[in-house]
Amino acid sequence: MERQRETQKKRGWLITSVSLMLLSACLMTSLTFALLHNSKTQQAVERTHEQNLYELGDNLTNVEINLSKLMVAPDGQYAAVLLTDIYSSALAAEKALASLPVDWHAAEDAAGFLNRVADFAACYQKALVGGRSGKGFAGNVEDMYVTARQLNAEIGNSVALVAQNKLDIRKITSAKPYNYRYRAGESIAHNSVEYPEMIYDGPFSDGRTDDVYRLFEGAPYVTLDEAKEIALSVLPEWQNKRVQSVGKSEKEPLYEITVSSDNGNAYMSIGEHGGKVVNFTAWRDMGNVMLGEASAKACAKDFAARLGYDVEPVWYLATGGVAYVNLAPIENDVVLYTDLVKVKVALDNGEALGLEAKNYCLNHTQRDMRLVMNRAAVPKLIDGRLQLNNVRGALIPLEGGEARLCYEAACEYKGLDYFVYIDAVTGETVQILRTVDSDQGSMVM
């Protein structure tokens, strides 16, 4: 009987021990799960804060740039379009700021400014719709631009640091950031943000969005073997080159070909009709920068000409050891921005490492390039405060696939560079672009 009790006692201790072990394991599992869940939740919250920060930076950039355009825009349809964009961007920026867990009292001046910009844009647009002049708004536009530029610069600094993982988003959203004061005693207590990486590669670089290749119409059919030979001929200096893969595009009338060699690898797309190289990209390591702007432009023009594109450089940007050169046909002193060819040039030896000619192939055709309105009328059609530096014709793409024949007026106002596009028939301002300097060079917005 005693032995039975002892056996039961041992069994009880064993069950208790096992139960405690299981309970501990469950607690550890629950704790681990809770910590992981909390960590994932925290990461999700931080990602949301980062997204709101990026949206704040993006919309402030839009407010600043569009206010700078509005300063020199004449009354009319284009000014109304700018005001619509300013209104929506200001409200979106205010919403993004409100979504950040900041000390609202510290940020209320910035929020109040954005609210004031939106109200101002609505009143200005109402005046234009009612047929009244916008001259009474001009002084306020310039004041708001200066303020928006300062606010955007400060917040843009923080966006950049967060994007580069040099600043913890939690530090931005604590301890009174964005202590911004509008007008009197302007200051921002906390340096904030850069915008998510964007590429600006010259005026009208996007071009058309349809896939009807006008250049291919009536051109002879190119076989797959002929396309391979064309691909190999693009790289005359490459050693032991060979076609690695080839096929037809599923959506476009193009052959897609990959070439490998001792020099590196390259991809290109070639038109099934006419055999034009539409896209070309090569990969290799970069050496030291040896070429300047003039040499890089000459290399880009020569490469485009070798592939059958008669174009001239119209835009240049150098960064990371390479240059991006936009080229366009020029007919009767009219730049055809609708027909852009973009070339990437290595600045160590001038080798072409990329070409994108889709806009050219989509759009290039015979056109009537006669400028109806006299060039001498242009100075009278732009804002009188603008210093006019140069005028030439330009065929520019607009939304919806439309192209407009214009005069391009290169201007300057208070250190800001503008391109104003005047309809060559009606004299209406149809577009204003601004050149913005950055670490990567000059950008057009």
Side-chain angles (χ1 to χ4, degrees), residues 402-419:
E402 179 189 359
R404 190 81 68 89
L405 187 58
C406 298
Y407 279 108
E408 177 189 73
C411 308
E412 184 180 343
Y413 176 64
K414 290 191 174 182
L416 303 178
D417 295 318
Y418 294 89
F419 292 100

Side-chain angles (χ1 to χ4, degrees), residues 28-298:
M28 287 296 293
T29 301
S30 299
L31 180 59
T32 301
F33 178 78
L35 289 172
L36 288 172
H37 179 71
N38 184 57
S39 176
K40 288 181 179 179
T41 301
Q42 185 177 1
Q43 289 174 5
V45 170
E46 289 176 7
R47 282 196 296 271
T48 300
H49 292 339
E50 287 182 4
Q51 184 60 39
N52 288 330
L53 196 58
Y54 290 145
E55 289 183 6
L56 175 60
D58 285 344
N59 283 292
L60 274 173
T61 298
N62 291 338
V63 169
E64 178 197 338
I65 295 298
N66 284 324
L67 281 172
S68 74
K69 294 179 182 181
L70 189 63
M71 285 194 302
V72 299
D75 292 350
Q77 183 178 353
Y78 186 69
V81 170
L82 288 175
L83 288 164
T84 299
D85 288 344
I86 291 168
Y87 176 83
S88 59
S89 295
L91 291 183
E94 184 187 6
K95 180 180 178 182
L97 178 61
S99 299
L100 290 170
V102 300
D103 184 322
W104 186 247
H105 293 292
E108 63 182 347
D109 287 329
F113 167 68
L114 293 169
N115 225 321
R116 208 171 289 119
V117 170
D119 289 344
F120 173 80
C123 291
Y124 193 164
Q125 189 170 56
K126 186 176 180 180
L128 293 180
V129 171
R132 300 197 302 275
S133 171
K135 290 182 179 179
F137 295 87
N140 288 328
V141 172
E142 194 154 328
D143 288 342
M144 286 186 169
Y145 162 70
V146 172
T147 303
R149 181 177 63 186
Q150 182 191 358
L151 180 59
N152 187 31
E154 293 293 337
I155 290 178
N157 180 52
S158 288
V159 173
L161 293 174
V162 170
Q164 298 165 19
N165 295 319
K166 293 181 180 178
L167 184 62
D168 191 331
I169 184 69
R170 289 169 293 185
K171 293 182 180 179
I172 290 181
T173 55
S174 64
K176 298 184 179 180
Y178 311 135
N179 187 16
Y180 178 75
R181 305 196 183 286
Y182 176 52
R183 294 178 185 260
E186 291 182 358
S187 64
I188 299 176
H190 186 81
N191 284 345
S192 321
V193 287
E194 187 188 290
Y195 334 103
E197 184 178 357
M198 295 176 286
I199 297 174
Y200 305 90
D201 52 359
F204 311 110
S205 58
D206 293 334
R208 289 164 59 95
T209 56
D210 61 59
D211 290 324
V212 178
Y213 287 83
R214 297 183 180 178
L215 190 67
F216 295 176
E217 294 175 355
Y221 179 76
V222 173
T223 66
L224 187 57
D225 288 338
E226 289 172 334
K228 291 179 183 179
E229 291 301 318
I230 293 171
L232 294 174
S233 70
V234 173
L235 307 162
E237 298 86 6
W238 282 30
Q239 302 296 317
N240 298 321
K241 55 182 178 286
R242 57 203 172 277
V243 173
Q244 188 171 357
S245 65
V246 64
K248 284 189 177 183
S249 171
E250 293 181 0
K251 298 181 179 180
E252 300 185 84
L254 304 172
Y255 293 110
E256 296 180 334
I257 299 173
T258 303
V259 175
S260 60
S261 77
D262 297 344
N263 301 68
N265 298 309
Y267 160 84
M268 61 193 78
S269 59
I270 295 173
E272 289 184 13
H273 292 270
K276 284 281 190 182
V277 177
V278 179
N279 293 287
F280 161 67
T281 302
W283 301 273
R284 69 166 175 82
D285 294 331
M286 295 293 105
N288 295 327
V289 173
M290 302 296 290
L291 302 180
E293 180 175 344
S295 297
K297 285 181 175 178

